[in-house]
Amino acid sequence: MEPRVIEVPIDNSNDVLEIDCSQLPAHAAEICDILENEGSALRFYQIFALEYYKQGSVDEAVVALKRGMASAKANDQTAKVPLLNLLASIYVQKAKTAASMGSGTSGTSGEREMALQMAATLLNEAERISRSDSNTCVVRGMLALAKRQPDVALAQFQTALQAGVSIAALLGKARVLYGKQQFSQALAAYQQALVLRPRGRPDPRIGIGMCLERLGHTGDARRALKRASEVDPEAAAPRILLATMDLNASKLAAQSGDSKTATALVRDAMEHLQAAYALQPENAALLLRLADRMCWRGDWEAARKLSERALRTADTMALQAEAHYQLGRAQHGGGRFDAAHEAYARSLAINERHALARYGLAQMLLQRADMSGAEAAFQRVLDRHPRCSEALRALGYLHARLPNTKAKALEYYERAMAELNDSTPPADAADADLFLESALLYEATNARKACRAYRTAAQLLEGSATPPIAELWNNIGAL
């Protein structure tokens, strides 16, 4: 790719000064001195600020924008508005970065709040100068998303769209609708953005693929994501999403007993992840998919390292919460229970609706013999997911060991057994403990149900690596 060259008009001349963006000075002040000497328009400060930002020199981008605003003429303040909006968006991004780097610590929490306040102040000034700039509404929407105010964000994006066509507002609207699980509406917004700008970045095809997958149109979703990879071979996101779809499909195939298909899907997923890693090795979503895979393989140390790397680059609350959860899994599997407890708790501090992190935290509380805390945590999982078999079993296990709650334990176990009867795949040897625990409780109240539960456990264990022991047959015979 040829280097980008910016032509800066020389004052009182028809000549221009060519500046190669691949060789920008380390300090933006040098560029700003040139622009001031030549009396350049404010848009040049914005152009160079964007170049510094794209090259990762965020602080130098801020310097360029502030110098540009300071040089604005008193009789033409409207020219400052694009610079104010861009600087506000940079502070929003700084707030997200502070949140990911700090992982909830008090110091970085203060940095995050300060960055958000700076963004709000800049946007207020932009609105004071001009109330008709739709880009100000777009950045306000971004600010609202950073503050976890999706309804406010959606209203700002809608306002921007009422003023005219805005790809950024359309993508922002689609993102909010996707987060609200309004996938059909989000799909329509992404499709509209694609029609308006087929080569736009970020590629709307990625959002289209995500929506189609959530709507159950997996074939169309794959085609959209593959097309996104073809349009931009350097994009890692579509490959990561394709890998995620393959891994999810492999789990379903394995559960149904189709090991050949499951193996092929895992192989395809790993190829996608390897391709994405070659393009963007520090992509947080990619690192988390790899960490998840390492957890499935039982390679806890590799999973821990991948999760910690993801934490350093996760720039959204969802990714940060997932990174802490995966780190908790790795620590949990490696036997570092205190560290796992901390990681699960941090995940929930960011996203209190993360059910798997809540379940992991409950397990750690149980490991600490904090029965009441574990019971409350498992119950919160069940409140959000009433058919969660694992939570039902855990609550049954807890109440079976608490005084005067055996009837409650049986209630949970019966619900768990009912879920197994309706599940695909059917129960197997790993589920035998559920029926054994239930049978022990039934012995005191209902011999027929106890016998039935023992028989079911025996049937599940027959032919497995752990066949029924003689004691089990004795219990059945006695009953």
Side-chain angles (χ1 to χ4, degrees):
M1 182 181 294
E2 294 185 3
R4 175 168 156 76
V5 175
I6 297 174
E7 296 181 345
V8 177
I10 296 176
D11 196 23
N12 297 319
S13 170
N14 292 326
D15 294 330
V16 296
L17 176 64
E18 294 185 346
I19 298 178
D20 185 347
C21 290
S22 66
Q23 301 179 20
L24 289 176
H27 301 291
E30 295 181 35
I31 292 289
C32 294
D33 290 340
I34 295 172
L35 296 178
E36 286 181 3
N37 291 336
E38 302 303 333
S40 300
L42 293 191
R43 65 184 180 86
F44 284 99
Y45 291 90
Q46 182 182 4
I47 291 170
F48 282 108
L50 281 169
E51 289 297 333
Y52 275 108
Y53 186 84
K54 290 175 184 176
Q55 295 179 26
S57 300
V58 178
D59 291 337
E60 297 309 311
V62 172
V63 168
L65 290 169
K66 287 183 175 179
R67 285 281 295 271
M69 290 187 295
S71 68
K73 297 177 181 178
N75 61 354
D76 189 18
Q77 289 290 292
T78 54
K80 284 176 60 176
V81 173
L83 279 69
L84 288 164
N85 288 334
L86 179 55
L87 186 54
S89 68
I90 288 176
Y91 275 112
V92 170
Q93 187 60 41
K94 276 178 168 284
K96 291 164 68 176
T97 303
S100 66
M101 294 299 290
S103 304
T105 60
S106 59
T108 50
S109 178
E111 292 176 20
R112 166 182 157 78
E113 292 306 316
M114 187 179 299
L116 293 176
Q117 184 57 50
M118 282 294 299
T121 300
L122 291 163
L123 291 170
N124 289 340
E125 184 177 353
E127 283 190 345
R128 180 185 60 79
I129 296 170
S130 172
R131 291 188 169 275
S132 60
D133 193 296
S134 61
N135 286 328
T136 304
C137 293
V138 172
V139 182
R140 276 211 182 276
M142 294 165 54
L143 176 61
L145 283 176
K147 291 182 173 182
R148 304 185 214 180
Q149 299 170 337
D151 293 331
V152 175
L154 184 58
Q156 291 292 336
F157 294 137
Q158 293 281 37
T159 300
L161 289 169
Q162 289 170 5
V165 175
S166 169
I167 300 298
L170 267 175
L171 293 175
K173 175 184 175 180
R175 178 180 171 183
V176 174
L177 292 171
Y178 185 91
K180 288 175 169 288
Q181 299 188 10
Q182 298 177 15
F183 303 119
S184 295
Q185 296 92 320
L187 175 62
Y190 280 124
Q191 288 172 329
Q192 187 179 355
L194 179 63
V195 170
L196 293 171
R197 191 175 296 173
R199 294 277 178 177
R201 295 290 180 274
D203 190 343
R205 295 176 185 84
I206 297 172
I208 289 171
M210 293 169 62
C211 291
L212 288 169
E213 193 271 336
R214 295 302 296 268
L215 291 167
H217 306 304
T218 54
D220 291 335
R222 287 181 185 278
R223 282 187 284 275
L225 293 171
K226 287 179 180 178
R227 178 57 182 157
S229 293
E230 293 168 0
V231 171
D232 183 6
E234 300 299 312
R239 290 171 173 81
I240 297 168
L241 291 167
L242 284 167
T244 302
M245 291 179 67
D246 285 337
L247 288 172
N248 291 338
S250 74
K251 294 173 187 176
L252 294 175
Q255 289 174 356
S256 64
D258 189 352
S259 59
K260 184 177 179 180
T261 299
T263 301
L265 286 166
V266 170
R267 184 176 60 250
D268 292 344
M270 296 311 296
E271 288 178 359
H272 287 307
L273 291 177
Q274 288 169 0
Y277 192 88
L279 293 168
Q280 208 172 346
E282 296 305 317
N283 182 292
L286 165 65
L287 293 171
L288 291 174
R289 292 285 68 75
L290 291 171
D292 176 73
R293 191 63 197 159
M294 292 303 104
C295 285
W296 277 92
R297 290 171 55 179
D299 191 343
W300 308 115
E301 186 61 17
R304 181 186 66 80
K305 291 179 179 178
L306 288 163
S307 300
E308 289 174 344
R309 283 173 61 188
L311 272 173
R312 291 194 288 270
T313 57
D315 62 354
T316 68
M317 294 296 186
L319 284 174
Q320 292 159 30
E322 183 65 15
H324 282 297
Y325 164 66
Q326 293 293 347
L327 180 58
R329 284 180 74 192
Q331 302 286 29
H332 187 168
R336 294 179 287 270
F337 300 125
D338 288 343
H341 181 280
E342 181 182 359
Y344 289 139
R346 286 192 171 188
S347 177
L348 290 167
I350 297 169
N351 177 14
E352 65 94 25
R353 297 177 67 90
H354 199 304
L356 292 174
R358 180 81 60 191
Y359 187 85
L361 181 65
Q363 289 178 305
M364 293 302 95
L365 292 169
L366 188 59
Q367 195 274 334
R368 293 180 173 187
D370 181 355
M371 297 299 193
S372 61
E375 193 273 339
F378 282 126
Q379 188 61 55
R380 288 192 66 176
V381 174
L382 195 62
D383 289 343
R384 292 192 182 277
H385 303 277
R387 300 188 62 180
C388 177
S389 177
E390 291 80 3
L392 288 167
R393 293 190 200 194
L395 286 165
Y397 174 88
L398 275 168
H399 284 285
R401 283 150 184 81
L402 293 173
N404 305 317
T405 59
K406 300 296 188 292
K408 193 72 173 175
L410 271 175
E411 178 186 328
Y412 286 121
Y413 279 147
E414 286 174 350
R415 287 173 61 185
M417 288 186 287
E419 289 299 325
L420 273 180
N421 290 334
D422 296 337
S423 69
T424 302
D428 57 24
D431 301 306
D433 284 347
L434 169 62
F435 293 92
L436 289 172
E437 289 267 349
S438 302
L440 288 170
L441 294 174
Y442 278 135
E443 281 189 15
T445 58
N446 193 320
R448 181 177 297 176
K449 286 186 177 181
C451 187
R452 187 184 307 146
Y454 276 132
R455 286 185 183 279
T456 302
Q459 290 169 1
L460 293 174
L461 291 171
E462 282 182 336
S464 71
T466 54
I469 59 176
E471 184 182 353
L472 175 55
W473 294 116
N474 290 339
N475 288 346
I476 295 173
L479 286 167

